[in-house]
């Protein structure tokens, strides 16, 4: 199973990107096919294919030829290659979807969508969370976020307050003036930790990163939503 977050860690050479563009949307190709189309050596093609297979961008399969011909390996692009190839287009699609939701159903529909999406994403993280205390769950969440390419860290103060500093935004594509991304982010974190949290710093206000304060003292009996006025 592939995730778009993994693409941030993939460094593809121009030659390997050329291989991806030859494979996407076409029938599987053999090494000989690629040598013929790219006009390069077998060694060069093999190295590029090995790099792409290891990155999860290309899949290798065995193809049996008719008659007594020897089987051969053929290569095809994976869905992750599609995401890599059209990443810039996706930067336009997601904000357009959120604008359409707001235009069609207003803030109430946005709130319902955020609620549903945040629950689904929280479940994704909670499957790997085992801590009992909110601060333990927070540390486990930060480790998972690191694996997904998010720069986040736990900050503990002498007065006992605990903060989550997100130096990179996992929902930066949604970054817009109405702060839907902030609302989604806060709902997910609160759901995973099982306690309310509040945002004490935000990029929208000129802060270098978003910071959330964890309220350890009281369990979350109900989902605490942020004031609508803040996100209008």
């Amino acid at each position: 199973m592939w995730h778009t977050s993994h693409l941030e860690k993939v460094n593809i050479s121009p030659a390997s990107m050329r291989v991806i563009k030859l494979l996407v949307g076409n029938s599987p190709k053999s090494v000989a096919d690629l040598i013929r189309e790219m006009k390069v050596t077998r060694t060069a093609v093999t190295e590029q294919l090995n790099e792409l297979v290891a990155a999860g961008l290309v899949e290798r399969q065995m193809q049996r030829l008719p008659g007594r011909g020897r089987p051969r390996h053929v290569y095809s692009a994976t869905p992750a290659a599609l995401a890599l190839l059209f990443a810039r287009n996706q930067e336009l699609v997601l904000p357009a979807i959120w604008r359409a939701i707001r235009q069609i159903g207003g803030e109430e529909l946005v709130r319902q969508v955020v609620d549903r999406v945040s629950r689904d994403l929280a479940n994704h993280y909670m499957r790997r969370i085992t801590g009992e205390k909110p601060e333990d769950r927070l540390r486990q969440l930060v480790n998972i976020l690191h694996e997904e390419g998010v720069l986040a860290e736990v900050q503990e103060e002498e007065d006992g307050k605990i903060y989550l500093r997100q130096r990179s935004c996992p929902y930066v594509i949604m970054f817009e003036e109405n702060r839907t991304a902030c609302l989604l982010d806060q709902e997910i974190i609160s759901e995973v930790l099982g306690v309310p949290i509040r945002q004490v710093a935000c990029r929208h206000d000129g802060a270098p990163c978003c910071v959330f304060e964890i309220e350890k003292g009281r369990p979350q009996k109900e989902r605490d939503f942020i004031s609508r006025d803040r996100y209008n």
Side-chain angles (χ1 to χ4, degrees), residues 6 14 45 54 91 113 126 169 180 198-199:
H6 296 169
V45 170
E91 292 177 2
V113 171
M126 289 171 68
C169 179
T180 303
R198 67 186 186 97
Q199 190 167 13

Side-chain angles (χ1 to χ4, degrees), residues 20-183:
I20 289 176
K21 291 180 178 180
L22 288 172
L23 294 178
V24 167
N26 286 320
S27 300
K29 294 180 181 291
S30 66
V31 170
D33 295 331
L34 293 169
I35 291 173
R36 183 170 56 255
E37 295 184 38
M38 298 179 67
K39 295 180 172 55
V40 296
T41 66
R42 174 175 290 273
T43 299
V45 170
T46 301
E47 288 178 353
Q48 290 150 16
L49 287 171
N50 289 340
E51 172 189 353
L52 294 171
V53 170
L57 298 170
V58 167
E59 182 180 40
R60 177 171 55 206
Q61 295 178 320
M62 184 70 74
Q63 182 184 69
R64 297 190 177 280
L65 300 175
R68 295 188 175 182
R70 294 181 58 184
R72 62 175 185 173
H73 284 116
V74 292
Y75 299 82
S76 57
T78 67
L82 288 175
L84 178 70
L85 196 59
F86 301 111
R88 291 186 178 180
N89 177 265
Q90 299 306 308
E91 292 177 2
L92 302 175
V93 171
L94 188 55
I97 291 174
W98 280 102
R99 285 194 297 270
I101 291 172
R102 176 168 284 105
Q103 291 166 3
I104 293 170
E107 295 305 314
E108 182 58 34
L109 180 58
V110 171
R111 184 170 297 280
Q112 292 177 23
V113 171
V114 167
D115 181 39
R116 180 66 61 86
V117 173
S118 64
R119 288 179 185 272
D120 286 347
L121 292 177
N123 287 335
H124 160 72
Y125 294 116
M126 289 171 68
R127 284 193 289 267
R128 298 175 58 187
I129 300 292
T130 59
E132 295 291 337
K133 297 180 180 179
E135 52 267 38
D136 295 333
R137 298 174 71 84
L138 176 61
R139 294 186 186 93
Q140 290 179 326
L141 174 61
V142 166
N143 289 335
I144 297 172
L145 292 175
H146 284 171
E147 294 175 7
E148 296 184 349
V150 179
L151 299 178
E153 58 195 30
V154 179
Q155 178 179 332
E156 299 187 46
E157 300 292 338
E158 292 182 358
D159 59 5
K161 291 184 178 180
I162 298 180
Y163 299 92
L164 169 63
R165 297 182 71 251
Q166 285 196 165
R167 294 191 290 116
S168 65
C169 179
Y171 311 109
V172 67
I173 292 179
M174 293 170 53
F175 194 85
E176 50 183 336
E177 66 279 0
N178 54 43
R179 308 194 187 199
T180 303
C182 298
L183 175 59

